[in-house]
Amino acid sequence: MRASFFGFHVTTTGLNSARNATYVSAHNVANMNTAGFSRQQAVIRAATPLNTRSSWGMLGTGSEMTGINQIRDVHLDNRFRSESAILGRQHALTRGLTMSQAIFASFEGSSQNNYFNNFFNSIQTLSTNPTDPALRQNFLQSGDNLSRLIQTQAAALRSQQLDINAEIRTTVQQINILGEQLTRVNEQIERAEINGGRANDLRDRRALLLDELSELVNIQKEEVNFNGRNRLLVHIDGQLFVNHDSFNRLDLERREYPLNDGDAPGLYTIVFDHGTIRVPFNYQNSRTLSGQLAGLLQVRDGNSTLQTTGPYAGRSYSPIAFRGVPYYKMRLNNLIRGFANAVNNGTDHLGNPIEGLGEGHIGNLRADGTLSGIPLFVPVGADGMPILIDDPADPNYGEIDLDAINIFNFAVNPEIRSNPSLIATHFGTASSGESANNFLLGLASLQNNRNLFPEGGISDVIATIMAELGGDLLRAETFHETQESIVEIIHEQRLSIKGVSYNEEVASLTLFQAQFVALSRILTVIDGIYDVMINRMGLG
């Protein structure tokens, strides 16, 4: 049965709808510049009509607002996060390789080659008078300068590795913070939506957290219905991270053993802390891990397997096929080990004798004709003394461990530094006496020996290292710029859908205002009709 004041009811529903729609538009305008906010839209429909049970048909009862839609594109959101993870990785790679190049820059062409050149020049000068004390001292000083340069470079690379390690710790902490915030927002959303509504602003906040998380590491998220409850699951590279109102914290453990020779001690490995058990985060073997975390791990641990073999290569247990800090340390190690082996033993990278070096410094003769029997370059410990073979089962137990030479301990033999007369100068019976210098001349010729390494000579190895590093950096920078463009395009596409348009909202407000004014006029007309009927015609 229709009420006597049915017209007031119909008009009032329209006024309420216009008013509420105005509030929604005002909320949009108020959050035009709010990060992560997505445009909202009032859902207004005709209210359920009345059946007049007559030839009139159905009688409309006004309008009603049934909800507030959140304008988002789920596909674009997922695409944005996927591409953001790739961008985060490329950003970390670019920064890491830029630092590596800066470290090598002071040794490129001018400096590193100069130190080698100075060393070979001092040999050439010494060969003119092998017994001259000043020339011997100059030769040893140039060797010291070369070893200090290499050790300084090694220390800089290790420092970079430690800096990246600290950045990994910070990144993992940020991931955990975002995981905790996601669980709290999920709880708030669940409470807000318990009666069937939709918490749009809370969902925007959650989406923003997911955007931030995707920059750090690649994620996969899904919302599932479990026993009538909507639950959000977030996986990091396929491993469960957030289980709606709880999350598996990422934790850090210091490695007991290094992945690569020359790694800084105590680098972090990552595990998932499930409370009662700790599950390794299998980032080393992952082919899909992305985000800033992946880039940092690649620069810190990446050692291409191409350099884990060969006579001078060190040990590597890193399956990360990327040329990071360990790779370039190993490349430098190969250079120094090959160079030291040539000087000490007179052989090239294949173990073949080098013409003009006899049996190397160890097997050649001093100026007084006695056998040298000691190497020129040795590994030294923290005490400045040569590192010895400490395995009693080794037949060379107690002798200098030449296999231990690396960029961190490469040095001129302290015994020769304290007694320059121990420098080997010649070999063979045809060359004898204090002026004999064929070994020194052979050492000087190493500068131009193109068979010393697989790449060629010493300068060729240095040029190859710099070319590899420059190529890796250029590739990373190019991919980074391209990825930035991709992310920006997707971001603009998202904004075109979820962003607030000032002009559109003003148009909506004008429309709702006109609707409100028109309904107010209708209400005035109805009020006038009832006033005449009740007060003037006495129908009351």
Side-chain angles (χ1 to χ4, degrees):
M1 185 179 71
R2 300 190 300 275
S4 300
F5 295 97
F6 180 70
F8 286 111
H9 168 75
V10 173
T11 307
T12 302
T13 61
L15 289 171
N16 288 334
S17 296
R19 180 194 61 191
N20 292 333
T22 301
Y23 293 162
V24 172
S25 287
H27 182 60
N28 287 339
V29 174
N31 289 280
M32 282 183 62
N33 299 316
T34 300
F37 179 79
S38 57
R39 181 166 55 93
Q40 298 179 15
Q41 188 178 65
V43 181
I44 300 174
R45 70 178 184 185
T48 304
L50 292 177
N51 191 343
T52 61
R53 301 188 184 279
S54 67
S55 60
W56 297 353
M58 305 293 288
L59 184 62
T61 59
S63 65
E64 60 182 357
M65 189 169 76
T66 59
I68 302 175
N69 282 345
Q70 184 184 42
I71 311 300
R72 299 189 75 100
D73 188 311
V74 176
H75 170 72
L76 283 177
D77 285 344
N78 293 335
R79 179 78 187 281
F80 176 81
R81 290 165 192 151
S82 176
E83 298 296 339
S84 290
I86 298 174
L87 177 60
R89 172 180 172 271
Q90 291 302 136
H91 183 64
L93 292 181
T94 301
R95 286 191 294 110
L97 292 174
T98 299
M99 179 58 68
S100 296
Q101 189 182 56
I103 292 172
F104 274 93
S106 59
F107 307 97
E108 178 187 8
S110 59
S111 295
Q112 195 170 72
N113 276 329
N114 279 347
Y115 275 85
F116 274 104
N117 290 341
N118 290 340
F119 175 73
F120 288 119
N121 289 339
S122 68
I123 298 174
Q124 189 71 45
T125 304
L126 178 61
S127 68
T128 62
N129 191 355
T131 59
D132 188 296
L135 296 183
R136 286 181 174 181
Q137 195 60 47
N138 180 59
F139 165 68
L140 295 177
Q141 185 61 51
S142 65
D144 273 340
N145 292 341
L146 176 61
S147 66
R148 287 171 183 164
L149 174 83
I150 299 301
Q151 290 180 18
T152 299
Q153 189 173 12
L157 288 171
R158 174 168 286 181
S159 177
Q160 182 193 6
Q161 198 174 38
L162 288 171
D163 289 342
I164 296 172
N165 194 57
E167 195 170 352
I168 289 173
R169 178 184 62 195
T170 302
T171 301
V172 168
Q173 291 172 345
Q174 291 175 332
I175 291 173
N176 286 331
I177 291 172
L178 291 172
E180 185 175 5
Q181 291 176 341
L182 280 170
T183 61
R184 293 178 181 174
V185 173
N186 285 337
E187 292 174 345
Q188 294 174 346
I189 292 174
E190 185 175 15
R191 287 195 298 268
E193 296 182 350
I194 195 169
N195 292 322
R198 191 168 179 85
N200 292 331
D201 291 333
L202 289 174
R203 285 179 172 271
D204 278 341
R205 191 180 307 170
R206 184 171 72 182
L208 182 60
L209 292 174
L210 291 172
D211 288 349
E212 294 175 2
L213 183 60
S214 68
E215 296 177 12
L216 303 178
V217 68
N218 58 308
I219 60 172
Q220 304 84 38
K221 70 100 178 175
E222 60 177 333
E223 196 167 357
V224 299
N225 189 284
F226 183 75
N227 292 335
R229 299 171 58 195
N230 287 327
R231 300 182 64 83
L232 179 75
L233 305 180
V234 179
H235 292 78
I236 290 180
D237 198 40
Q239 301 186 61
L240 183 62
F241 177 54
V242 173
N243 186 4
H244 194 64
D245 53 3
S246 65
F247 76 105
N248 299 317
R249 182 181 298 274
L250 290 179
D251 205 358
L252 299 171
E253 295 178 349
R254 293 192 179 274
R255 290 179 186 155
E256 186 176 355
Y257 303 103
L259 278 180
N260 306 287
D261 276 354
D263 273 353
L267 297 182
Y268 294 119
T269 187
I270 306 174
V271 297
F272 273 103
D273 187 358
H274 290 268
T276 56
I277 58 174
R278 295 167 72 83
V279 179
F281 178 36
N282 190 24
Y283 61 86
Q284 294 178 29
N285 293 301
S286 174
R287 294 183 177 274
T288 56
L289 183 66
S290 193
Q292 179 177 315
L293 181 62
L296 292 172
L297 291 168
Q298 285 181 304
V299 176
R300 188 195 69 176
D301 296 338
N303 185 357
S304 172
T305 55
L306 294 175
Q307 291 300 318
T308 60
T309 59
Y312 309 125
R315 294 182 300 274
S316 173
Y317 306 98
S318 172
I320 299 178
F322 180 81
R323 295 195 292 221
V325 173
Y327 173 84
Y328 289 104
K329 283 195 295 186
M330 185 168 288
R331 292 288 274 133
L332 198 56
N333 263 338
N334 291 346
L335 170 65
I336 295 307
R337 286 168 177 161
F339 171 69
N341 176 70
V343 173
N344 291 333
N345 299 309
T347 57
D348 61 18
H349 69 284
L350 296 176
N352 299 321
I354 300 175
E355 184 178 357
L357 292 186
E359 297 182 25
H361 196 281
I362 295 176
N364 289 338
L365 305 175
R366 303 165 186 157
D368 61 5
T370 60
L371 179 68
S372 170
I374 59 175
L376 177 64
F377 291 113
V378 298
V380 297
D383 58 357
M385 298 305 295
I387 297 174
L388 307 179
I389 298 174
D390 58 1
D391 183 3
D394 193 304
N396 297 316
Y397 173 70
E399 296 182 9
I400 297 175
D401 187 3
L402 293 180
D403 290 337
I405 287 181
N406 59 46
I407 55 178
F408 297 98
N409 57 33
F410 169 71
V412 174
N413 193 331
E415 186 178 357
I416 297 178
R417 279 209 316 269
S418 62
N419 185 4
S421 65
L422 299 180
I423 297 173
T425 60
H426 65 284
F427 61 90
T429 57
S431 176
S432 60
E434 293 187 351
S435 62
N437 63 358
N438 58 350
F439 175 60
L440 294 176
L441 292 175
L443 281 182
S445 68
L446 278 180
Q447 183 176 17
N448 300 313
N449 190 313
R450 306 302 296 272
N451 299 314
L452 192 58
F453 298 96
E455 299 87 349
I458 293 174
S459 60
D460 297 317
V461 175
I462 296 173
T464 300
I465 294 174
M466 293 308 304
E468 288 177 338
L469 182 53
D472 290 343
L473 177 56
L474 178 61
R475 187 181 304 108
E477 289 176 336
T478 302
F479 287 165
H480 181 256
E481 292 176 3
T482 302
Q483 196 61 31
E484 274 188 325
S485 300
I486 294 174
V487 171
E488 182 63 26
I489 290 172
I490 298 175
H491 176 63
E492 292 298 328
Q493 290 175 344
R494 290 175 89 199
L495 287 181
S496 68
I497 294 174
K498 77 183 192 72
V500 178
S501 169
Y502 175 79
N503 292 333
E504 288 182 9
E505 297 304 329
V506 169
S508 296
L509 288 171
T510 303
L511 178 64
F512 298 141
Q513 181 187 30
Q515 179 182 347
F516 197 92
V517 170
L519 288 167
S520 299
R521 295 290 301 273
I522 293 173
L523 194 62
T524 302
V525 170
I526 296 175
D527 179 66
I529 292 172
Y530 277 103
D531 178 59
V532 171
M533 292 175 64
I534 296 173
N535 297 321
R536 301 184 187 182
M537 298 179 65
L539 296 180

